[in-house]
Amino acid sequence: MQTEVLVIGAGVTGAGIARDLALRGISCIVAEQGDINSGASGGNHGLLHSGARYVASDREAAQECREEGEILKRLAPQCIEDCGGLFVAVKGDDEDYIAHFPDWCAKAGIAAHALSASQARALEPCLSPDVIAAYAVPDASIDPFKLALENLAHAKELAGARLLRRFRVQEFVIAQGRIARTRLVNTVSGEEIWVEAEQVVNATGAWAGRVAALAGADIPLLCSQGTLLVTHERIATRVINRLRKPGNGDILVPGGTVSILGTTSVTIDAPEKARPTVAEVDENLREAAPMIPSLRDIRYVRAYCGVRPLIRAGSEGGDGRSASRGFALFEHTDVGLSNFLTVSGGKLTTFRLMAERVGDVVARRLGNTNPCRTRQEPLPAVAACEWTEPGRGPKIWAMQHDAQDPLLCECEMISASAVQEIVDSCRDVFPDPGLQALGKRSRIGKGACQGAFCGVRVAAHLYDTGQMRSRDGLVKMREFFQERFKGQRPVLWNAQLVQAELAEALHCGLLGLELVDPKNPDKVLPS
Amino acid sequence: MTSSSFPHYDLAIIGTGLAGLAAAVCAVNRGLSVVQAGNTGAIAYTSGVFDVLGAIPPTEDGDIAVVDAPFAALPRLLAAYPGHPYAVVTPEGIRAAFHEVLDFLRGAGIVYHTGDQRNFAVIGPAGTIKHSWCVPETIMGGCTAFAAKAPCVIVGVERLKGFSAAQVVANLRGVWPQLRAAQVALPEHPGGEVYTEQAARMLEVPQLCRAFAEALRPLVDGVQYLGLPAILGVHRPGDVAADLSRQLGVTVFEIPTMPPGVPGIRLKEAFEDKLPEMGVALYCQQRMDGQLPPPGEPFRLHISGQPTEVDVLADHVLLATGRFLGGGLRGDLEGVVETVFGLPVVQPETRAQWHRADYLDPRGHEIHKAGICVDAQLRPVGPAGELIHPRLHVAGSLLANQDWIRMKCGAGVAIATAASAVEAVAKACAHGDGAT
């Protein structure tokens, strides 16, 4: 397989690079070991930072966030809810930090408007009566899945960019100071392919160190796990940040029909070890409750976590909170390579800028003189991507519900025809859509039942339409429920515990999925 | 009103799931006066298939042992899980309790078959096999067909979601070559989604049932059995199944569906219709609360919710409130609590230990083994084995040290412990060990 550029990693950065290159007339293959946004791009708040969070510690990152936030609001409004944000302090918070905040914001060019405590509580009634200071800032919420899918779709349309899902880089063959060939292995089937590319870009986030090491290069990365909680209902209209030095459980971001509370910072040694824990959930609740008291009592449907790839500055130690939120480019000329480039660190908010910088280097190396166009060119909306938008299902259903079209997902109101539309839209990318892939491209499994019921119904639908044909479908059902459980486990108390008991009664009590041997699914009668 | 003028019963049953149902039947059979309250809706969420023991999960590393002969496997279960509620009942007691409940259900028009020494292999809605000892007659045809691998067609119903005949067939065809899938529309359906309960009520109408038989007729060529999702009538399902079988010349059977399914709804309706006829003072969809009385005094219980709020007295109380779904237990951030009397709950030390990392871990999750510990008469005991109250009993899934979901022992534990607890109450009443 040959291509101009091989981009490794299909998070928002990889997707953004594919589009940046495509707008310069450069085509690429994007290889991804999991699925779109499997890493930090999928495991974050969905917060489009105004930059105000970083004004005290990292003015450069704050300014980047501000500029990029403004660009994205203009060019990709379909991915953004421009809800605005508040910074609020409560009794006992650091008075010094509060006093300096407006000045820091002004220096970073971020508009911060002072509000009285009563004004803030009138805007967001969930806020504690103990609020002592509040500022309005231009934060917003962004849908990272829609963003990645639309960047990839645009790259495909412009320059025929291809996505190879479930392909992991296994080996670089280096000759004469270049990566001559890259060996990729399918993580499901074991299929092996070779890609010959003029340029190779490593955009694998927390995995960047590992991929770079295959080429003999060293990337000083710190993996910092952050755990977030999804509420059953949306708690606030705006993004709400704690007005203090960044810490745990201090941001609540709206995500359509829900709110997302986070986060924590736990250093881990390998990104695949990331798992939201009960301790981190409790930490988030404990830290957030002084700002928004109801967060201790409301229902959460799941927790998830992401791994921040943080660039270690020099050789100093330090934890995840003190490391820079900035990004870094490594051109790898120090190890004698002329066609390899790594980008890591950074934030969801600055993904476009990261892609631009990568695009500049790659274009220069390829002798392509076309300038970056992602600062001017709007991101086209793609219809099938809209199923990731919370609340989209009910809107469509209410507008055009066809009585003959059963709702397979009752929590999020996704009908059989919508499932079919999603299946059809991604068939060219992967011919054998499992439940997990559908979940990533829609709200299926994201409502109150967390996939317990709709997973069974969608599986039945996939068998009925011939897309599942064997007991391998049972293995796919197992994988889907196991994956959803990772996020449910830390929030199983009260109502969600009830839901989980019902789910297990269905999956194990009635269907006996725990008895299906994933290595030998054809065995009908376990012995 | 003074407490002496409140209605006074031998036994108050809190809870209206399978354990509560079994307890009421056994209590009436023993001449006890019974008041009962609870949400009967939860029983509609049961599959309608009654398990005694279907699997023994490993306590450490290892595989799940699927159980073929449930009674013979009891010693093995108790060796691995010594505190399991089956430790306080006998195999004969389990059988006798089942037959008492099955006689009641037969009287309500729902016939069950038991497997004597062995479990039946029941076809599930995903085409997996469930091992169960006691099966509704309408579902038995599928067990027989599967055992013989007889020529059979599984028929799905258009727009009835969550049931795919193709799925059942795809997952069983490897061992059952003469199995095939088909799909029909439900005649005279008003359009839109088909719900199992609605379909079942339609098929009770003879002319609709005849029209359905005509729709099925082209599918029965060369087969001996025809399987449908469980929609063969809510009342007297055997009649609908027999009628269709006669018209088509094949054995028509049901496959249980996702909850709430029709076999569960049948139990709910049998419960609500027949228990009041038998003299049980039944308060459906109402709560019953109270406190543990001092020696010599009856329980004073408050029944709340719609339509009536009343106070009653009872000499004995049987708590059969179920687990989290039934409302008998509540999982707070700080720990698991019993919701009616605040009884001590055996549970993991911290919330982090409630669930294992892997959803389908063969050992199951520790939270499901949390619950109430009891003595030989099913009376709750505290951490040191001390009796909480001499006239309070517990039955069913609220009991500790069992995992009904993974062990497939829910119906057996419910029915056997309820019968055993009622037996203890009946003995106490006969000895005049009441409160007054």
Side-chain angles (χ1 to χ4, degrees):
Chain A
M1 210 175 271
Q2 289 185 325
T3 179
E4 285 184 275
V5 181
L6 170 64
V7 178
I8 306 164
V12 285
T13 311
I17 292 167
R19 176 169 180 261
D20 183 283
L21 295 175
L23 283 163
R24 301 176 200 244
I26 300 167
S27 69
C28 70
I29 287 175
V30 182
E32 164 59 48
Q33 64 170 345
D35 198 351
I36 291 164
N37 286 9
S38 291
S41 301
N44 61 68
H45 252 127
L47 169 56
L48 191 66
H49 278 284
S50 61
R53 185 170 171 81
Y54 303 113
V55 287
S57 56
D58 192 341
R59 189 178 303 157
E60 193 186 343
Q63 282 167 337
E64 271 174 12
C65 283
R66 173 182 61 75
E67 287 169 21
E68 289 301 308
E70 286 165 2
I71 293 170
L72 291 176
K73 283 179 189 175
R74 199 172 71 237
L75 300 180
Q78 72 275 16
C79 298
I80 293 166
E81 184 189 337
D82 198 359
C83 55
L86 300 180
F87 273 75
V88 297
V90 297
K91 276 178 202 155
D93 284 346
D94 179 1
E95 306 260 346
D96 213 35
Y97 193 95
I98 299 168
H100 280 107
F101 183 73
D103 185 43
W104 288 332
C105 285
K107 285 190 173 132
I110 296 162
H113 299 290
L115 300 170
S116 70
S118 59
Q119 280 173 322
R121 294 196 65 213
L123 292 175
E124 296 295 353
C126 64
L127 287 173
S128 161
D130 292 339
V131 168
I132 53 168
Y135 289 88
V137 298
D139 283 341
S141 95
I142 185 161
D143 179 344
F145 288 97
K146 199 168 157 65
L147 191 64
L149 289 165
E150 291 188 340
N151 270 275
L152 284 170
H154 199 205
K156 181 183 167 193
E157 184 197 315
L158 291 170
R162 289 185 56 191
L163 173 65
L164 297 178
R165 201 174 136 272
R166 300 228 184 282
F167 275 95
R168 176 184 294 147
V169 172
Q170 211 72 13
E171 182 190 359
F172 293 121
V173 175
I174 295 166
Q176 287 141 10
R178 295 173 51 82
I179 294 177
R181 298 194 299 162
T182 304
R183 183 160 63 92
L184 300 164
V185 174
N186 188 299
T187 56
V188 181
S189 66
E191 182 198 350
E192 202 176 270
I193 55 173
W194 287 93
V195 176
E196 287 173 32
E198 291 172 51
Q199 292 289 324
V200 177
V201 178
N202 172 17
T204 53
W207 284 264
R210 193 170 307 171
V211 172
L214 291 175
D218 182 42
I219 305 283
L221 265 192
L222 181 75
C223 290
S224 161
Q225 161 171 326
T227 287
L228 304 106
L229 285 90
V230 184
T231 62
H232 183 244
E233 281 159 14
R234 184 163 169 168
I235 307 301
T237 309
R238 295 162 187 77
V239 176
I240 300 178
N241 304 267
R242 187 78 166 267
L243 178 47
R244 66 175 185 193
K245 185 168 167 273
N248 294 338
D250 56 4
I251 311 181
L252 184 76
V253 180
T257 53
V258 302
S259 290
I260 296 163
L261 169 65
T263 178
T264 51
S265 178
V266 177
T267 302
I268 55 174
D269 55 6
E272 51 280 323
K273 289 189 183 160
R275 265 300 157 97
T277 63
V278 170
E280 286 174 277
V281 165
D282 288 352
E283 170 71 6
N284 272 321
L285 296 185
R286 196 165 38 240
E287 289 293 324
M291 180 167 77
I292 302 168
S294 61
L295 288 176
R296 243 195 104 73
D297 306 315
I298 51 138
R299 180 173 176 185
Y300 295 89
V301 294
R302 69 185 281 106
Y304 60 98
C305 68
V307 181
R308 306 174 186 91
L310 302 178
I311 305 295
R312 263 194 256 248
S315 57
E316 76 202 56
D319 65 2
R321 287 281 177 219
S322 57
S324 167
R325 262 44 178 179
F327 63 87
L329 241 58
F330 301 86
E331 298 204 25
H332 299 306
T333 44
D334 55 327
V335 290
L337 289 175
S338 61
N339 71 339
F340 186 45
L341 181 65
T342 293
V343 59
S344 192
K347 306 201 57 64
L348 171 61
T349 302
T350 56
F351 89 99
R352 191 212 59 81
L353 181 61
M354 294 163 73
E356 174 179 341
R357 296 280 165 77
V358 169
D360 287 346
V361 174
V362 170
R364 186 191 76 220
R365 287 175 173 183
L366 291 172
N368 177 312
T369 54
N370 293 330
C372 170
R373 284 167 58 200
T374 59
R375 279 176 191 270
Q376 301 89 31
E377 200 71 38
L379 179 68
V382 179
C385 298
E386 288 171 355
W387 295 106
T388 60
E389 182 189 322
R392 171 83 183 172
K395 272 184 247 164
I396 299 270
W397 187 81
M399 278 188 303
Q400 47 171 255
H401 181 58
D402 172 0
Q404 311 303 318
D405 188 8
L407 280 179
L408 297 184
C409 173
E410 291 177 354
C411 305
E412 297 287 328
M413 294 191 158
I414 297 171
S415 67
S417 67
V419 168
Q420 200 54 49
E421 191 183 315
I422 300 160
V423 169
D424 292 341
S425 75
C426 55
R427 200 187 296 279
D428 57 334
V429 181
F430 53 104
D432 180 23
L435 289 164
Q436 284 204 60
L438 290 177
K440 197 141 262 186
R441 286 161 180 78
S442 71
R443 297 284 305 163
I444 290 170
K446 303 202 173 76
C449 93
Q450 285 292 293
F453 282 72
C454 56
V456 176
R457 290 193 202 104
V458 171
H461 175 79
L462 293 176
Y463 273 102
D464 261 345
T465 51
Q467 288 155 112
M468 284 183 175
R469 291 183 202 86
S470 72
R471 290 179 70 88
D472 189 48
L474 296 171
V475 178
K476 290 217 164 77
M477 288 170 78
R478 280 176 58 104
E479 287 168 357
F480 177 73
F481 298 129
Q482 281 173 301
E483 187 58 35
R484 300 309 295 169
F485 182 74
K486 285 182 195 166
Q488 292 161 52
R489 183 180 174 275
V491 299
L492 296 181
W493 70 89
N494 282 348
Q496 282 312 111
L497 182 62
V498 172
Q499 190 70 51
E501 188 182 42
L502 176 60
E504 200 180 330
L506 170 60
H507 301 149
C508 298
L510 181 60
L511 305 183
L513 289 179
E514 86 277 29
L515 302 173
V516 173
D517 180 355
K519 293 194 194 84
N520 184 13
D522 289 336
K523 199 167 65 173
V524 171
L525 286 176
S527 51
Chain B
M1 201 187 234
T2 61
S3 65
S4 59
S5 58
F6 295 140
H8 193 146
Y9 299 88
D10 293 325
L11 175 63
I13 301 171
I14 309 180
T16 50
L18 194 52
L21 166 71
V25 169
C26 295
V28 170
N29 286 350
R30 281 155 189 74
L32 302 177
S33 60
V34 177
V35 61
Q36 185 168 22
N39 180 0
T40 52
I43 206 169
Y45 278 82
T46 61
S47 67
V49 174
F50 294 160
D51 304 329
V52 168
L53 182 63
I56 304 177
T59 51
E60 297 297 331
D61 287 351
D63 294 329
I64 302 168
V66 173
V67 170
D68 181 45
F71 295 99
L74 285 176
R76 185 172 167 194
L77 172 78
L78 294 174
Y81 300 93
H84 194 283
Y86 278 156
V88 298
V89 296
T90 60
E92 300 71 39
I94 298 172
R95 286 176 187 270
F98 262 83
H99 287 116
E100 212 166 330
V101 171
L102 298 187
D103 283 346
F104 162 82
L105 289 173
R106 185 184 299 270
I110 309 172
V111 180
Y112 274 80
H113 290 270
T114 59
D116 190 26
Q117 298 303 325
R118 300 185 57 186
N119 280 330
F120 295 115
V122 181
I123 302 170
T128 50
I129 295 295
K130 180 173 166 64
H131 299 266
S132 190
W133 185 67
C134 179
V135 176
E137 185 175 45
T138 50
I139 290 175
M140 267 305 296
C143 305
T144 316
F146 177 75
K149 307 295 184 295
C152 177
V153 60
I154 307 293
V155 182
V157 175
E158 280 174 21
R159 297 196 310 279
L160 193 161
K161 67 191 177 193
F163 182 90
S164 160
Q167 181 177 20
V168 173
V169 172
N171 290 337
L172 288 175
R173 202 167 30 207
V175 294
W176 193 353
Q178 298 199 71
L179 186 66
R180 55 186 166 84
Q183 184 145 321
V184 293
L186 191 65
E188 319 247 348
H189 188 269
E193 272 180 37
V194 176
Y195 297 95
T196 51
E197 181 178 355
Q198 165 202 35
R201 294 193 193 279
M202 287 176 71
L203 291 182
E204 287 177 4
V205 180
Q207 85 204 53
L208 294 182
C209 188
R210 272 196 299 279
F212 191 48
E214 289 315 310
L216 295 172
R217 196 177 301 284
L219 307 174
V220 299
D221 255 4
V223 301
Q224 292 164 13
Y225 290 87
L226 185 149
L228 289 163
I231 53 169
L232 300 181
V234 172
H235 305 97
R236 313 206 69 82
D239 292 359
V240 177
D243 192 18
L244 278 177
S245 297
R246 190 172 32 74
Q247 292 185 58
L248 294 169
V250 298
T251 301
V252 175
F253 66 88
E254 293 184 313
I255 295 171
T257 58
M258 283 171 70
V262 170
I265 294 166
R266 287 173 190 143
L267 295 175
K268 172 179 180 287
E269 299 220 343
F271 195 166
E272 291 175 351
D273 292 350
K274 294 294 166 191
L275 287 183
E277 285 178 22
M278 292 166 64
V280 173
L282 178 64
Y283 294 86
C284 292
Q285 314 352 315
Q286 295 200 242
R287 257 192 86 83
M288 181 147 58
D289 290 287
Q291 280 167 359
L292 301 179
E297 285 186 28
F299 286 83
R300 180 173 162 177
L301 301 158
H302 182 64
I303 297 173
S304 57
Q306 297 293 328
T308 46
E309 302 247 338
V310 289
D311 283 313
V312 298
L313 301 177
D315 290 341
H316 300 266
V317 167
L318 177 67
L319 198 58
T321 42
R323 303 185 65 77
F324 302 100
L325 185 59
L329 296 175
R330 193 181 66 237
D332 290 344
L333 271 174
E334 299 77 17
V336 180
V337 292
E338 189 279 311
T339 57
V340 179
F341 295 108
L343 298 175
V345 177
V346 173
Q347 57 185 296
E349 232 164 84
T350 68
R351 191 160 63 81
Q353 294 162 309
W354 285 6
H355 294 90
R356 298 191 189 273
D358 179 5
Y359 180 43
L360 299 172
D361 190 306
R363 296 167 295 181
H365 302 290
E366 284 306 303
I367 187 71
H368 297 318
K369 294 203 268 293
I372 309 299
C373 278
V374 290
D375 70 2
Q377 294 179 55
L378 283 305
R379 296 177 301 184
V381 295
E386 73 279 15
L387 192 61
I388 305 285
H389 194 280
R391 286 175 283 117
L392 175 64
H393 299 259
V394 175
S397 62
L398 180 57
L399 292 167
N401 302 315
Q402 54 84 31
D403 180 346
W404 69 269
I405 296 174
R406 297 302 186 91
M407 296 169 177
K408 321 317 174 175
C409 65
V413 167
I415 291 171
T417 59
S420 185
V422 168
E423 192 62 41
V425 171
K427 274 192 190 137
C429 288
H431 286 101
D433 294 346
T436 48

